[in-house]
Amino acid sequence: MLARVKPTRIAVTLLAALAASATPGEGLAQEVIELPTEDRWLEPDFEEVYRVGAALGEAWQEFGTVGRVGFDEAGNLHVFDRLAARVVVVNPEGEFVREFGRRGEGPGEFQSALDMVVMRDGRVVVADMGHRAYHIFAPTGDLERMVRMGRVAMVRQMDAEAGGESLIRGARVLGFAYQAVPGETTMAFPDPRTIERIFLSEGEAAVETAAEVWGPAWTRPTERPLGRGRQRIVSRGPRRGFEPELFAGVLPGGRIAFSDSSAYAVKIAERDGGWVSTILIRPFSPEPVTERVMRAEKDRRLRNIEDRSEGSVSRSAGGLVVSGTGGGAREREQIETLEFAEEVPLVRDLRTSWNGRIWVLRRGDEPVSDGPIDILAADGRYVGSYRTGATPLPDAFGPEGLAAFIDRDELDVQTVVVKRLPPDVN
């Protein structure tokens, strides 16, 4: 359970803990806003607008694996079907408009497409690890150009900045590839704990740091030789259990809201310079990781191995895939010797809406469980909270209150449900 603490105490301890990762530039002010302790409950009175996806529907509605969804400023929904290697577009009434993309090796064809982002003007960017490039499609679905990822190709979950030619890449890594150079003796993996801005205006993508974030010990590089004249790898250490995740979302104007610690602290970084100008906190204290908590988490992970041993059957591009090995002795040993962080993080996910609301998913009563969802305004106002289980986080936000949720129907077929949110939460 979450413990309540006095606001004056949390302000002092939290500021000290966050100083290293949230210090603004010289001469720039930083505001810490303490939000109310008590929850103000909201009712999820969302109007369903339409839903797409069906096992026995029209061909365009038979989704394999919905990897990402997104809206343009006209309210058109784009559905990225990773399995079928295509993007399906429907209008604000849920009617089919077009689809584009297919599996292949040519321009505009996907070899290993991992993520999609929709720009507000209707252009679509697809990150393809196979091509080591970004495909950029016009609003009509025609290929405009391809932009190379560069020697180090890393696909992280992307978000579009409003206008321009730039994207924001968060910390969730979807794929990675490294192109060695003859004579090079060291291969360095990039920092997995960064928020980056990607510019797609040139033939090769340019990358800059969009916000400075806190990185735990496992992100610090360590060098190890491979032997026999092969390259040395500069890699990262093992992650600890309950290590705080990095969650981020883009706000209007190019600012970034993110969470990078076990405390309830949502930081807002400015578009110019990436310095943290605002920190939104709620006076909750994280649960200490005790021996009991560690044992319960190890048992949970071991049960997951047992569940996998029963096997499963799923569809893939090449047909049916049968999986389930039950895990080996090495995996079980890694769980039993797992090290842990000192606290259970309070934030489990974070999303930003079309108009700049920040949706924060808190942990539930158990360490690894979803709890209430808080709605915050970027100016520091607390809008309210949805009770545990009242609604999932939207998978995409759009104009006029539109929001898309990736779901499954009674036949376990993936669908996308589009609802309209009240103005206060979008």
Side-chain angles (χ1 to χ4, degrees):
M1 294 290 291
L2 302 181
R4 307 284 185 177
V5 297
K6 294 181 180 180
T8 52
R9 176 185 170 191
I10 190 69
V12 173
T13 57
L14 182 61
L15 281 174
L18 300 179
S21 62
T23 301
E26 184 178 354
L28 299 175
Q30 184 181 84
E31 183 179 18
V32 178
I33 301 176
E34 186 174 311
L35 305 175
T37 304
E38 298 301 321
D39 292 315
R40 181 167 63 247
W41 298 117
L42 304 172
E43 293 299 323
D45 51 347
F46 307 158
E47 170 198 358
E48 182 171 322
V49 182
Y50 62 86
R51 60 179 61 209
V52 293
L56 301 176
E58 298 182 46
W60 68 268
Q61 285 205 71
E62 295 179 0
F63 300 135
T65 302
V66 178
R68 196 76 185 276
V69 291
F71 292 96
D72 61 27
E73 61 188 3
N76 298 310
L77 174 71
H78 298 64
V79 181
F80 170 44
D81 188 340
R82 186 181 293 124
L83 181 62
R86 61 174 182 158
V87 176
V88 175
V89 184
V90 299
N91 66 19
E93 287 72 46
E95 301 167 337
F96 175 75
V97 176
R98 70 179 68 87
E99 67 175 73
F100 56 89
R102 63 180 181 180
R103 198 171 303 279
E105 299 183 358
E109 298 177 336
F110 306 148
Q111 292 186 27
S112 180
L114 300 182
D115 198 22
M116 172 203 76
V117 67
V118 182
M119 312 297 277
R120 293 206 172 189
D121 62 5
R123 288 174 300 147
V124 174
V125 180
V126 176
D128 189 342
M129 182 60 70
H131 277 287
R132 300 171 63 88
Y134 299 98
H135 304 264
I136 303 177
F137 295 91
T140 58
D142 298 316
L143 180 69
E144 283 188 354
R145 66 187 190 278
M146 296 175 67
V147 177
R148 298 187 302 275
M149 291 181 182
R151 180 171 157 235
V152 178
M154 175 173 282
V155 176
R156 293 173 172 162
Q157 188 163 306
M158 306 180 297
D159 289 294
E161 289 193 301
E165 295 279 341
S166 57
L167 309 172
I168 293 297
R169 294 196 308 193
R172 184 186 172 198
V173 177
L174 304 176
F176 171 78
Y178 186 96
Q179 185 177 2
V181 173
E184 185 182 64
T185 60
T186 302
M187 182 172 69
F189 287 90
D191 188 347
R193 187 85 173 187
T194 57
I195 301 175
E196 299 170 326
R197 180 171 287 108
I198 310 298
F199 296 94
L200 303 175
S201 55
E202 303 297 334
E204 183 171 312
V207 182
E208 70 176 23
T209 299
E212 295 288 348
V213 302
W214 173 78
W218 71 269
T219 64
R220 298 168 192 157
T222 57
E223 188 171 293
R224 58 186 177 90
L226 294 181
R228 294 187 179 180
R230 296 170 63 193
Q231 291 175 316
R232 293 171 295 166
I233 294 181
V234 180
S235 60
R236 311 286 166 168
R239 293 192 58 174
R240 298 182 297 172
F242 298 125
E243 199 81 74
E245 298 281 353
L246 173 61
F247 305 109
V250 180
L251 296 168
R255 295 191 299 166
I256 298 171
F258 67 95
S259 170
D260 63 351
S261 67
S262 59
Y264 191 111
V266 176
K267 303 172 186 177
I268 299 178
E270 294 300 310
R271 175 65 172 80
D272 296 325
W275 62 279
V276 174
S277 61
T278 309
I279 305 176
L280 309 179
I281 65 175
R282 291 197 73 184
F284 305 141
S285 62
E287 177 185 358
V289 176
T290 63
E291 291 292 335
R292 180 190 63 80
V293 172
M294 288 189 282
R295 184 65 261 168
E297 175 62 10
K298 290 179 181 180
D299 290 343
R300 185 188 70 83
R301 297 187 182 209
L302 290 171
R303 285 195 300 272
N304 286 342
I305 292 178
E306 295 298 330
D307 292 341
R308 293 206 309 268
S309 68
E310 297 178 2
S312 63
V313 179
S314 59
R315 287 198 300 171
S316 74
L320 295 180
V321 173
V322 180
S323 61
T325 63
R330 177 176 175 79
E331 186 176 3
R332 295 171 185 274
E333 180 184 2
Q334 289 174 339
I335 292 175
E336 288 293 352
T337 58
L338 180 67
E339 295 185 355
F340 287 85
E342 292 76 22
E343 298 172 326
V344 179
L346 289 171
V347 175
R348 287 181 56 79
D349 207 346
L350 181 151
R351 309 275 171 86
T352 50
S353 75
W354 189 268
N355 293 320
R357 293 293 188 260
I358 306 169
W359 289 52
V360 181
L361 174 63
R362 287 156 36 192
R363 58 153 288 196
D365 291 337
E366 298 299 323
V368 185
S369 65
D370 293 343
I373 295 174
D374 296 342
I375 312 299
L376 315 178
D379 61 6
R381 289 179 294 114
Y382 168 61
V383 178
S385 301
Y386 292 110
R387 298 178 189 272
T388 301
T391 178
L393 287 173
D395 292 288
F397 294 89
E400 305 297 329
L402 294 176
F405 301 80
I406 301 174
D407 200 0
R408 290 186 179 273
D409 63 15
E410 61 277 4
L411 299 177
D412 200 35
V413 174
Q414 274 197 310
T415 63
V416 180
V417 183
V418 174
K419 299 181 180 181
R420 196 175 303 277
L421 307 178
D424 284 349
V425 300
N426 189 51

